[in-house]
Amino acid sequence: PSSLIFPTHIFFLSQSIELCQTSTHSRLFYIITRSTPLGLIWSEVKQLWDVGLQDYVHDMWNVIDFITNSLYVATVALRVVSYFQVSID
């Protein structure tokens, strides 16, 4: 299933983090895995626009997708904050 592709990519990315700094192929893989949530978020926004808020919320899969996307955004925000805190010190 396609829902397992992204977590699998993230797992392999976390296992080969040293390769991301040396290999062009690994950098491409890193960029793809980091940009995948943007496509997922865009898909949900488009679906929300098409069906309307009331119908969107009544489907529990959409609520789960919203929570998942919110966690992606929170993760990126925390990484940015931690990067700036470390760079200040």
Side-chain angles (χ1 to χ4, degrees):
S2 62
S3 61
L4 295 177
I5 292 173
F6 183 69
T8 304
H9 284 301
I10 294 299
F11 172 75
F12 286 120
L13 180 65
S14 68
Q15 298 302 312
S16 62
I17 198 69
E18 297 86 20
L19 294 176
C20 289
Q21 298 171 354
T22 59
S23 170
T24 303
H25 184 267
S26 296
R27 286 184 185 148
L28 178 63
F29 182 73
Y30 182 82
I31 290 169
I32 290 171
T33 56
R34 295 299 181 208
S35 62
T36 300
L38 295 175
L40 297 173
I41 292 170
W42 176 253
S43 172
E44 290 303 313
V45 168
K46 188 176 171 187
Q47 184 180 7
L48 176 62
W49 184 266
D50 290 341
V51 299
L53 180 63
Q54 192 169 17
D55 290 338
Y56 182 83
V57 173
H58 279 82
D59 186 0
M60 288 307 292
W61 285 112
N62 290 333
V63 174
I64 292 170
D65 289 339
F66 178 80
I67 292 169
T68 304
N69 290 334
S70 298
L71 291 173
Y72 288 145
V73 171
T75 301
V76 170
L78 288 173
R79 283 183 177 260
V80 169
V81 168
S82 66
Y83 174 78
F84 283 118
Q85 286 183 345
V86 168
S87 66
I88 289 173
D89 293 340

